[in-house]
Amino acid sequence: MGTELLAPLDLAFWHLESDAHPMHLGALAVFAPAPDVTPRHVLDLLRTRAAAIPRLRMCVRDVLLPVGGAAWTVDKDFDVHRHVRRVTVDDGDFTAGATRLAGELMEQPLGRGLPPWQMYLIGGADDGPFAVLVKLHHALADGMRAVAIGAGIFDEIATTTARSAARGRPVVPPRSWLPDPREVAGMALGRIGEVGRALGVGASVVRAGRLDPRPASALTAPSSGTRRLATADLDATDLQRIRRAEGGTANDVLLAVVAGALRRWMAERGEPPAGTDPRALVPVSRRGSGGTVTGNRLSGYLLDLPVGAADPRERLRTVRAAMNRSKEAGPLKGAGAVAVLADQLHPLAHRFGAPLAANAARMLFDLLVTSVPLPRSALSLGGCPLSALYPMAPLARGQSLAVALSAYGGRVHVGLVADGKALWDLDRLAEAVQEEFEELRELVTGGRVAAPGS
């Protein structure tokens, strides 16, 4: 892999970062122990497999052309030991200790002179469960791309990759940062069309932006640079039962659950939910089915989470109707399309306009709620089965909460990332997620618990 220009949206994420606002996403993968598998074996396996992923050897360097641009280049001094480390927790409750430690590690920005990623092997007792925390800069990957990159550490994916390499499967060369002269004319014509689309997207962003900042709340508190992590686990079979009974999509159900959890949590904090519906940005992937495009390919929908509605089923119906309207309009409408707009801007605009864009996020949305797809097959690391995988989304400047969800092994794993000072009671919000899901399930299914395999 040689040199490859950062895509416009990747460049935007790169310049949006500051020490107090790290722009990395991540995942906390929890594994059950296996006989005769030691922490040293797992650590060596992690390092070997991470070093074999070409994307993880790339770092960001400025380029002369285009002016203000940057490119991915191979780190000639790459040392996997700088990126994969072991840490331990002493808490009696391993999951709680690993979650607390992962929150502290998520506070730390990634080094900008090195390939922008880290992995931590988090262990307790040598014969007990362990976890792997993966941190990837958002410029390196969006949620789907992060899954594709991070999956290389699992036994099933690593084995398949090694077999493909042994068969001599041809490697697609990276896109050069200097275009072929024969492509220049076509690029120029394409840019004319892109300018028209950018104007339309920009108008949609402006129309959907809010000129009336919401009242001060935990979700709008000034950023402290600290991070707190909490998790929740929902039954995927019950989720599908609710979806079939009420209509819509599984994502609609999860968004309604988040809205109900926020309602509970806000009431306990003394923040009346009526009239203060927080606006969520719901990312939408624009990546083609072939998956060959590198970099971030995102847009998003905006959703006012109906925390003012008292009935869980009413909240679900409101969410379903709003999401249907957004899908009919398409991903190029509304403030969520700001990611598409970023694709049309010159690199200099990202380099010098990033501070302004970062501060404008508060005018567009209050929190992020995203779903991250995972492989459906069972996964393992060194023979140790994967028990759970909690995705973690980055916080934009002026945002105090991001919620990410992924389904695996019959469960929906919820990762909540928050500003540590603004949401000191994040564990309570995680509990509220599970309580809200259980109440909705009982209302819809009449209290019947889904039988295994039904």
Side-chain angles (χ1 to χ4, degrees):
M1 183 172 284
T3 302
E4 175 192 329
L5 267 184
L6 267 73
L9 186 53
D10 302 344
L11 193 63
F13 287 134
W14 188 250
H15 290 308
L16 282 170
E17 184 173 60
S18 67
D19 288 342
H21 303 92
M23 287 300 296
H24 52 255
L25 44 80
L28 182 66
V30 181
F31 296 87
D36 302 322
V37 179
T38 66
R40 169 53 61 183
H41 172 72
V42 174
L43 184 63
D44 290 342
L45 196 60
L46 272 177
R47 287 171 172 166
T48 299
R49 290 179 177 174
I53 300 173
R55 200 73 187 169
L56 297 185
R57 290 176 169 267
M58 307 290 282
C59 57
V60 177
R61 298 283 187 265
D62 290 340
V63 296
L64 295 177
L65 292 174
V67 177
W72 293 106
T73 62
V74 175
D75 182 4
K76 297 179 180 178
D77 299 318
F78 177 78
D79 182 357
V80 73
H81 292 80
R82 295 175 176 172
H83 298 270
V84 183
R85 303 171 183 172
R86 183 189 178 194
V87 291
T88 59
V89 292
D90 298 325
D91 300 54
D93 185 337
F94 171 75
T95 301
T99 302
R100 174 192 56 77
L101 180 57
E104 296 174 0
L105 294 172
M106 286 295 287
E107 289 183 12
Q108 304 170 12
L110 294 164
R112 293 176 73 84
L114 299 171
W117 64 276
Q118 290 282 347
M119 290 186 190
Y120 296 91
L121 172 60
I122 302 175
D126 285 351
D127 58 350
F130 64 91
V132 175
L133 173 65
V134 180
K135 293 169 53 177
L136 298 172
H137 198 285
H138 210 339
L140 182 65
D142 55 22
M144 290 183 67
R145 184 68 177 170
V147 170
I149 293 174
I153 70 171
F154 294 114
D155 298 337
E156 295 75 12
I157 310 300
T159 300
T160 301
T161 303
R163 288 173 179 169
S164 297
R167 289 196 298 266
R169 174 180 291 182
V171 177
V172 178
R175 176 171 58 89
S176 171
W177 61 274
L178 285 177
D180 189 308
R182 294 170 295 181
E183 299 176 357
V184 172
M187 292 172 61
L189 291 174
R191 292 301 292 180
I192 293 174
E194 289 171 359
V195 169
R197 186 174 72 154
L199 291 174
V201 172
S204 296
V205 170
V206 171
R207 287 194 299 268
R210 300 173 306 195
L211 298 179
D212 56 332
R214 301 298 175 92
S217 70
L219 297 180
T220 62
S223 299
S224 68
T226 60
R227 292 291 181 270
R228 185 180 293 270
L229 173 66
T231 62
D233 294 273
L234 313 177
D235 188 279
T237 301
D238 285 339
L239 173 66
Q240 292 301 328
R241 289 171 66 89
I242 296 171
R243 180 194 63 78
R244 288 193 294 268
E246 293 293 313
T249 68
N251 199 46
D252 294 341
V253 177
L254 293 172
L255 287 167
V257 167
V258 171
L262 286 171
R263 176 184 171 85
R264 294 169 183 260
W265 174 76
M266 291 169 67
E268 292 178 7
R269 272 179 158 250
E271 299 179 10
T276 58
D277 287 352
R279 177 178 286 182
L281 175 63
V282 184
V284 177
S285 175
R286 295 187 296 121
R287 191 175 301 281
S289 59
T292 57
V293 178
T294 59
N296 285 272
R297 299 288 294 171
L298 292 172
S299 183
Y301 298 135
L302 289 177
L303 173 67
D304 289 332
L305 294 171
V307 300
D311 179 50
R313 299 177 82 166
E314 180 185 349
R315 287 195 290 270
L316 175 53
R317 295 179 187 123
T318 301
V319 166
R320 187 180 66 221
M323 289 299 289
N324 285 342
R325 288 193 299 269
S326 293
K327 292 170 185 175
E328 289 173 2
L332 302 185
K333 300 293 184 182
V338 68
V340 181
L341 183 61
D343 279 340
Q344 316 303 321
L345 299 180
H346 191 277
L348 279 176
H350 292 301
R351 185 176 292 270
F352 295 110
L356 179 62
N359 290 322
R362 176 65 191 91
M363 300 296 293
L364 301 178
F365 60 95
D366 300 301
L367 72 156
L368 177 75
V369 183
T370 183
S371 295
V372 180
L374 293 179
R376 294 185 179 181
S377 58
L379 300 172
S380 61
L381 175 60
C384 301
L386 176 67
S387 303
L389 193 148
Y390 302 98
M392 290 173 282
L395 294 180
R397 187 172 304 186
Q399 313 295 314
S400 299
L401 176 65
V403 182
L405 313 99
S406 62
Y408 174 79
R411 308 289 291 175
V412 176
H413 304 293
V414 185
L416 299 96
V417 177
D419 183 283
K421 291 186 177 180
L423 274 72
W424 48 267
D425 54 349
L426 185 65
D427 287 340
R428 176 61 198 124
L429 180 56
E431 292 173 356
V433 169
Q434 296 189 231
E435 292 169 0
E436 179 65 22
F437 181 78
E438 290 302 317
E439 180 175 354
L440 183 59
R441 177 187 62 80
E442 292 177 4
L443 285 173
V444 172
T445 66
R448 298 189 303 273
V449 178
S454 65

